[in-house]
Amino acid sequence: MHSNHAEAGIDHPAISIKNLSKSYKNTQALNNLSLNIPFGCFYALLGPNGAGKSSLIRILATLMGSDSGEVWINGIDALKKPREARTQIGYVAQESSLDKILTGYEHLTFTADLHHLPRKIKKERIDEIIEQLNISEWVYRRTKTYSGGMRRRLELGCALLHKPKIFILDEPSVGLDPESRQLIWEVLKASVENGQTVLLSTHQLQEVEQLADQLAILDHGKLIAAGKPKTLKEKIGGQKLTLRIREFSNQTEAKATSDALISRADIDNIIINPSQGYSLTLITAKEANSDEIVNEVQKQGFPIFSCARSSISIDDIYLKATGSTIADAELSALGARDLRKERKEAMR
């Protein structure tokens, strides 16, 4: 994993969030959130849709105000001095921000001029970005001809052009082809190796497992957990055993099974997951014997449809806190959202 590059002589974090709250009409997007993101680290914001990730990212990018709280970007009060804070950050939004009529090169030139890059440095940086993101074949074509992956590469290039200290991305790899996703990951990892701070919001566990030095998990605008992935997983327990009594059980049966097992010394926690047929997730000690646990269930008169042992994952941190996996929470949130209404609100 990456080494942390603390900024010499600086005693504040790259980003400091204190008691931040934001609501839209009846929805509390962020609820008294506090978080510190250190310099030189790859930091992931993880959570399902509706967790508050995009609201937080937009506030950090100075695109939106908050109801209360503080945001400091490299020691600058971003809510009071947004223009000054913007000099410290590069930002890639979830939605594409490219002009379809302009070529990739015109976008890069325009962005360089916005950041007042001197002519010589501008040319050097644009050439570096074209090579780094492997877009030379497409850079002189209009962006309306670009694939989703190529558009994302160009947006990334525009955001990195002025070498920001802090790089903020909102779900950057959603819908990307594997080649573009891998290339973007490599560019982001290289940015951290060069001392930049990368903050990325995602609901993809693979992205966090492969990239993040540290992470924060959000749910309904609240912070569930924050820290190094390895440390957070070790806090949960040693191993995970997923039991299904039947293909589709019910709450009564699942609760009775849980009650029969909870007193065992080798079981730290039992989580019933209704969205997965009332399966039971057992967090066990490393030395726990899964055959013994299965025998105990059968001895109590319950059938076993399936049993699977696995290592603790980041998803289990979310599962332990909420009783649901991130994937299930995604589906639930999607079903409850009025996407047409949200788009209308966002346009105001």
Side-chain angles (χ1 to χ4, degrees), residues 4-208:
N4 278 6
H5 307 261
E7 291 277 297
I10 291 177
D11 61 358
H12 56 253
I15 298 172
S16 181
I17 300 155
K18 299 175 183 176
N19 308 118
L20 194 66
S21 292
K22 176 70 180 176
S23 58
Y24 310 94
K25 292 188 177 176
N26 300 324
T27 305
Q28 186 81 36
L30 296 170
N31 192 344
N32 202 34
L33 187 74
S34 294
L35 191 64
N36 284 332
I37 296 164
F39 277 104
C41 101
F42 203 124
Y43 205 102
L45 280 179
L46 180 66
N49 278 324
K53 303 187 305 296
S54 289
S55 294
L56 178 56
I57 291 282
R58 285 175 63 79
I59 291 170
L60 295 178
T62 72
L63 296 173
M64 186 166 76
S66 67
D67 297 338
S68 60
E70 298 175 30
V71 172
W72 296 82
I73 306 282
N74 192 15
I76 299 163
D77 187 333
L79 297 175
K80 291 181 180 172
K81 299 177 181 176
R83 185 169 291 193
E84 198 179 328
R86 274 180 217 131
T87 63
Q88 306 296 306
I89 62 174
Y91 170 63
V92 176
Q94 193 170 348
E95 304 294 330
S96 178
S97 57
L98 301 178
D99 187 319
K100 293 176 184 178
I101 303 300
L102 299 180
T103 66
Y105 199 88
E106 286 168 335
H107 275 95
L108 291 167
T109 305
F110 178 64
T111 305
D113 290 340
L114 284 176
H115 290 291
H116 307 291
L117 294 187
R119 187 175 297 177
K120 184 172 180 290
I121 293 173
K122 176 170 85 169
K123 176 78 168 66
E124 283 175 8
R125 281 300 291 148
I126 289 174
D127 288 347
E128 283 169 11
I129 289 290
I130 289 169
E131 184 182 347
Q132 190 180 21
L133 290 160
N134 195 17
I135 55 175
S136 57
E137 196 182 321
W138 290 83
V139 76
Y140 295 105
R141 302 183 195 181
R142 289 183 176 184
T143 58
K144 68 178 180 182
T145 65
Y146 286 19
S147 66
M150 203 56 67
R151 280 199 298 272
R152 190 53 97 188
R153 291 188 205 187
L154 178 60
E155 287 172 328
L156 193 68
C158 288
L160 285 172
L161 205 52
H162 63 298
K163 292 189 175 179
K165 282 191 169 72
I166 300 161
F167 195 31
I168 300 171
L169 306 98
D170 193 3
E171 302 269 7
S173 58
V174 169
L176 291 192
D177 59 278
E179 185 189 343
S180 291
R181 181 182 294 121
Q182 192 59 43
L183 185 119
I184 284 171
W185 285 3
E186 293 304 322
V187 169
L188 294 178
K189 283 192 277 189
S191 298
V192 173
E193 291 298 335
N194 289 329
Q196 289 169 293
T197 302
V198 172
L199 173 64
L200 169 148
S201 79
T202 183
H203 61 270
Q204 298 185 17
L205 294 165
Q206 182 196 11
E207 208 157 42
V208 178

